Amino acid sequence: MDNHNFSAEQLKEVLITQGAVSNQEFDTYLQEAKEHNTDLLQFLESRKIISEPQLYRLIADFFKVPFIDLKGRAIRKDILLLIPEPIAQAHRVVAFDQTETELKIAALNPRDLEIFDFLGKKSGREVSVFLTTPSGVNDVLKSYHKGLKAEFGVIGAPGGEAPAANGTPQDLKELAQDLPVIRIVDTLLEYAIYEGASDIHIEPGEKEVSIRYRIDGILRNVMTLPKPAHAGVIARIKILADLKLDEHRLPQDGRFKVSGSDYNVSLRVSIIPTFDGEKVVLRLLNEKAQLLTLEQLGIQVRPLEIVKRNIAKPHGMILVTGPTGSGKTTTLYTILSILNTPEVNISTIEDPIEYRMPRVNQSQVNPKIGYTFATGLRAFLRQDPNIIMVGEIRDGETAEIAVHAAMTGHLVLSTLHTNDAVTSLPRLVEMGVPSFLIGSTTNVIIAQRLVRKICQKCIYSYTLDQKGIKELEKALDLQSLIKVLEREKIITPGKQTVASLLFYRGKGCRECNQEGYKGRIGIYEVLEVTPEIQSLIIKNANADELFKAAIKQEMLSIMEDGFIKAKNGVTSVEEVLRVTQE
């Protein structure tokens, strides 16, 4: 049973106000529950102090919402399905009745207003909220699955077998137009957009199909479908993305768009054959996504000045580096939006175009017809641009043209796949670009990662114990970290030790789906190519020598920037270590 909806303080208020227990009794029960290491509600139930329905009736009275007991109640299938399964699962809400104008829903948290609003818009009816019990909700959730299984049994061949995935295009087309299939795919897309997911993974197993969303960089299970649903869902996605329905042995790539009143999302579809059937990954790019400022991205004050100073230069190279999914493109677009004035001509070559920007000439690579980063970049130079953005420098040819463009008076922005800022310089040398050219054209290199932000609704502070400090010392030099925190005026010099530093975590609440995190922010390392660094590059210095020189110039490393954010309660120590140790 989950009592995540109510804190001990709220329960105390409910039970005492409603006269169920006295103040003293409540404190005793709370203490005993802690000693037995059990949930307070479970403890009260096991001691027969109060039953689940009684308790939720009291909570309903307290919040002045009607109570409904769903135990053993049969709900019509068309009403149940008004709330898609993933939403019902995640928010513990179910629809149990409706009229022309009203949708009656049962929930465990009468204050989950955002989701009620979403359901009202979706159903086009006025939503009435009833409180129910956790076991009541669990009962109803089980019937979703039974319903789906039955439905796909009916669609399938006699005996409830799924239609073979390798049926004729006509069979598959009919399958893709089946109502339950359309409903599942629509729900998956709509709910992914609502939850702010960046990717949807549809993975077939031997007996069922699991669906996961990547939210804030972490994959989460959303729902499982009966195996017979797989062929229809895949066929539906192929039709949307204009892919070959009867091709099951080769990978396929495609794209399509979904739009609503407040979103305009383009989806990249990638399908690969696996042992149990085709696996699909959909990447969501919200074209209406708000562009952030460099401050909102989370760049600290001093590095920010370096970035601003270097993007104001009329030519040279600005590189953003980091692994896949570290937010490099977002940083590039943010810089482009600052540079995007009527006085300059900006051209980009991307793979794919992720955001649409007014006044910017955006072009997309198409390797099938030989239109690569290098060919696009060559053609651009004949178009008199001031600023060029190249999605990624992947090979020597692109690197060479980019460096020459930067040398001949263009400002070039691009990304590289390296782990930190200094490694980018030797990487370009490996690609065959002469080191003196790299030294003289590179203005600034920004390396980055994304960390999850602590949910501000359930944040709490703690200090590290001896064991925690020992663990940390294995990963980094704590003494020099304290010095950096003092230098950056995060802590008062000479006043604090590692043991006295306050760090933060999230407990996990409804707001953040019990994760303790909500949203993400970047941690950065900004390396300015000063005359000292330039002379080291020309001498072909290795990454270690470059790093020492950069630290001497007081460059904040990614790890240090992460710790400043952990110290300020933006993220947690665990999160910084997770993304920097990968």
Side-chain angles (χ1 to χ4, degrees):
M1 169 169 165
D2 83 55
N3 87 336
H4 291 315
N5 306 302
F6 307 106
S7 65
E9 292 78 39
Q10 285 171 319
L11 284 174
K12 181 174 185 173
E13 201 182 339
V14 169
L15 292 169
I16 292 169
T17 316
Q18 305 287 5
V21 296
S22 71
N23 203 339
Q24 200 175 351
E25 282 172 330
F26 184 88
D27 292 343
T28 314
Y29 296 143
L30 186 62
Q31 192 51 42
E32 282 185 46
K34 275 187 181 149
E35 281 162 16
H36 287 86
N37 202 13
T38 57
D39 181 273
L40 176 63
L41 291 188
Q42 274 169 337
F43 179 78
L44 293 173
E45 266 185 54
S46 65
R47 286 293 172 89
K48 304 271 183 290
I49 293 155
I50 193 162
S51 72
E52 188 190 65
Q54 282 173 321
L55 173 71
Y56 275 80
R57 275 203 159 83
L58 291 179
I59 294 172
D61 288 346
F62 181 80
F63 282 110
K64 300 191 173 43
V65 289
F67 177 81
I68 174 93
D69 194 351
L70 293 176
K71 275 281 199 216
R73 185 185 171 113
I75 298 173
R76 269 182 24 214
K77 198 176 88 183
D78 57 327
I79 292 176
L80 180 67
L81 293 172
L82 286 170
I83 299 181
E85 187 190 2
I87 298 180
Q89 289 279 12
H91 291 269
R92 324 290 289 167
V93 292
V94 292
F96 65 89
D97 202 358
Q98 67 164 343
T99 64
E100 290 286 298
T101 55
E102 181 190 31
L103 174 65
K104 293 184 177 177
I105 61 178
L108 296 186
N109 179 6
R111 297 180 309 285
D112 204 350
L113 302 175
E114 231 177 72
I115 196 76
F116 304 149
D117 188 39
F118 174 74
L119 295 171
K121 277 190 194 146
K122 194 173 159 45
S123 65
R125 291 178 174 84
E126 198 64 41
V127 169
S128 304
V129 180
F130 290 70
L131 193 77
T132 189
T133 61
S135 52
V137 169
N138 290 339
D139 269 14
V140 178
L141 288 174
K142 281 181 196 138
S143 56
Y144 268 101
H145 236 60
K146 286 185 196 137
L148 270 179
K149 278 210 163 97
E151 220 164 352
F152 283 102
V154 174
I155 299 176
E161 268 307 300
N166 52 8
T168 68
Q170 193 49 42
D171 293 348
L172 290 166
K173 202 165 189 160
E174 278 168 24
L175 188 59
Q177 279 153 359
D178 225 278
L179 272 176
V181 168
I182 291 177
R183 198 179 56 234
I184 287 174
V185 175
D186 286 357
T187 298
L188 283 180
L189 299 177
E190 200 174 339
Y191 188 55
I193 294 164
Y194 174 78
E195 286 288 342
S198 60
D199 303 85
I200 305 173
H201 290 241
I202 302 172
E203 301 163 312
E206 193 183 344
K207 297 199 170 76
E208 49 188 19
V209 182
S210 85
I211 290 170
R212 300 192 287 170
Y213 289 170
R214 190 178 293 283
I215 299 171
D216 290 342
I218 306 285
L219 273 173
R220 290 194 208 149
N221 274 327
V222 188
M223 68 194 279
T224 45
L225 293 174
K227 185 69 187 243
H230 183 247
V233 168
I234 301 292
R236 173 78 187 144
I237 290 168
K238 284 181 177 175
I239 283 179
L240 289 171
D242 203 15
L243 298 173
K244 290 182 184 147
L245 277 176
D246 51 349
E247 176 56 81
H248 307 285
R249 294 176 309 175
L250 287 173
Q252 294 193 69
D253 292 305
R255 51 181 50 227
F256 63 94
K257 280 195 165 131
V258 184
S259 48
S261 55
D262 48 356
Y263 57 83
N264 201 350
V265 176
S266 79
L267 292 107
R268 269 160 56 198
V269 182
S270 161
I271 302 184
I272 58 162
T274 70
F275 187 77
D276 287 306
E278 290 168 283
K279 172 181 187 251
V280 179
V281 177
L282 302 155
R283 159 62 61 90
L284 287 79
L285 303 165
N286 192 347
E287 296 185 354
K288 281 193 181 171
Q290 293 296 305
L291 270 178
L292 302 170
T293 61
L294 289 170
E295 287 82 352
Q296 285 166 322
L297 290 181
I299 303 181
Q300 307 284 0
V301 181
R302 243 174 4 95
L304 188 64
E305 284 165 8
I306 296 174
V307 173
K308 287 185 167 165
R309 186 166 65 235
N310 281 286
I311 63 179
K313 291 180 179 172
H315 53 81
M317 223 172 15
I318 293 164
L319 293 172
V320 183
T321 81
T324 308
S326 59
K328 302 187 290 291
T329 315
T330 305
T331 304
L332 277 188
Y333 277 116
T334 305
I335 294 172
L336 270 189
S337 70
I338 297 169
L339 297 170
N340 187 7
T341 62
E343 296 80 63
V344 292
N345 176 340
I346 305 179
S347 292
T348 75
I349 178 150
E350 308 174 50
D351 178 21
I353 294 169
E354 287 191 27
Y355 300 87
R356 299 284 295 111
M357 286 187 90
R359 278 204 310 267
V360 174
N361 311 291
Q362 292 172 279
S363 169
Q364 183 160 320
V365 299
N366 185 346
K368 281 185 196 144
I369 55 170
Y371 185 43
T372 61
F373 282 130
T375 44
L377 193 46
R378 272 214 180 84
F380 279 0
L381 293 174
R382 299 195 280 274
Q383 290 247 322
D384 180 37
N386 303 90
I387 298 164
I388 298 171
M389 174 177 120
V390 186
E392 191 189 328
I393 294 177
R394 293 180 189 163
D395 55 73
E397 191 183 3
T398 312
E400 198 180 335
I401 309 167
V403 169
H404 279 285
M407 200 174 62
T408 54
H410 303 86
L411 187 62
V412 178
L413 284 71
S414 191
T415 70
L416 272 174
H417 268 271
T418 58
N419 284 333
D420 54 22
V422 292
T423 328
S424 310
L425 300 160
R427 172 66 51 85
L428 288 169
V429 174
E430 281 165 26
M431 285 183 179
V433 183
S435 53
F436 72 91
L437 282 182
I438 299 168
S440 57
T441 56
T442 314
N443 297 348
V444 66
I445 300 173
I446 305 165
Q448 67 179 87
R449 297 279 190 290
L450 289 174
V451 289
R452 291 180 293 165
K453 293 196 288 192
I454 297 173
C455 168
Q456 295 303 307
K457 288 265 161 62
C458 59
I459 187 170
Y460 69 95
S461 60
Y462 70 99
T463 50
L464 290 167
D465 54 12
Q466 284 313 111
K467 188 168 161 251
I469 293 173
K470 281 211 167 65
E471 282 297 302
L472 259 190
E473 274 170 340
K474 286 182 198 158
L476 56 146
D477 177 351
L478 286 177
Q479 290 321 313
S480 69
L481 195 66
I482 293 274
K483 286 199 182 76
V484 170
L485 290 174
E486 290 178 347
R487 184 189 80 205
E488 299 293 324
K489 303 190 173 48
I490 308 292
I491 57 177
T492 323
K495 285 278 163 64
Q496 284 186 295
T497 62
V498 177
S500 72
L501 287 180
L502 269 186
F503 288 109
Y504 302 86
R505 287 191 186 114
K507 273 196 181 74
C509 63
R510 283 307 292 249
E511 192 67 24
C512 57
N513 268 336
Q514 312 307 334
E515 298 279 336
Y517 296 101
K518 192 163 181 159
R520 289 191 291 176
I521 195 164
I523 54 175
Y524 302 88
E525 180 170 286
V526 175
L527 171 65
E528 184 167 31
V529 181
T530 55
E532 295 79 43
I533 300 276
Q534 200 171 355
S535 65
L536 281 171
I537 297 169
I538 293 167
K539 287 181 192 144
N540 273 330
N542 63 25
D544 284 346
E545 294 166 310
L546 287 164
F547 189 70
K548 283 192 186 114
I551 292 297
K552 213 171 176 173
Q553 288 181 19
E554 298 193 344
M555 172 184 86
L556 273 182
S557 72
I558 281 194
M559 180 78 89
E560 290 163 354
D561 184 23
F563 262 82
I564 290 175
K565 291 188 171 97
K567 180 69 205 77
N568 288 339
V570 177
T571 187
S572 67
V573 174
E574 292 83 358
E575 192 59 8
V576 174
L577 291 175
R578 178 180 74 84
V579 304
T580 50
Q581 305 287 303
E582 277 172 0

